[in-house]
Amino acid sequence: MSNIVKTEIIPSEDWNGFNFTFSNGWGLSIQQSEHHYCKVGKTAEVAIFDPNGEWKGYDEKTNEIFEPKEDTHVNGWLDADDIAKLFSIVSQKEVDIIAEVC
């Protein structure tokens, strides 16, 4: 049995947003409401999760993913360009995934 992760786009149950899971197992939660760190219609709040479901942070100056000191971490007020960068960075993170053999 391989550890292939299937991609998913799941609407958030309680908030206005989506949770994305990439084939490498990493995920992004993109949320937008009056209860998030954002300006609705302009920016969004983003959380990053590694394949183990652990929260990660994003350094907007260096474009690097980091280990946050706190248990939870979000980046707020990210615009469309910032979120596009995160999609590229997170979806291309390398993990030890075994390809499924047909």
Side-chain angles (χ1 to χ4, degrees), residues 32-72:
Q32 188 185 68
S33 79
E34 61 188 37
H35 303 288
H36 292 92
Y37 299 113
C38 68
K39 180 171 179 160
V40 175
K42 301 280 185 189
T43 61
E45 176 186 288
V46 179
I48 304 166
F49 300 96
D50 72 11
N52 297 318
E54 300 292 324
W55 294 70
K56 300 298 176 192
Y58 171 60
D59 185 321
E60 297 167 44
K61 292 179 183 173
T62 63
N63 292 320
E64 293 182 351
I65 305 300
F66 65 88
E67 194 76 38
K69 293 178 183 174
E70 57 276 343
D71 290 337
T72 63

Side-chain angles (χ1 to χ4, degrees), residues 1-22:
M1 181 170 177
S2 64
N3 57 351
I4 297 291
V5 175
K6 295 186 183 209
T7 62
E8 296 180 314
I9 302 173
I10 301 171
S12 299
E13 290 182 24
D14 299 318
W15 302 106
N16 217 7
F18 291 90
N19 298 313
F20 296 82
T21 303
F22 303 104

Side-chain angles (χ1 to χ4, degrees), residues 3-6 21-27 49-53 56 89-99:
N3 57 351
I4 297 291
V5 175
K6 295 186 183 209
T21 303
F22 303 104
S23 59
N24 62 3
W26 284 74
F49 300 96
D50 72 11
N52 297 318
K56 300 298 176 192
I89 293 166
V90 172
S91 67
Q92 295 180 53
K93 297 276 299 165
E94 291 186 35
V95 293
D96 190 19
I97 295 179
I98 301 169

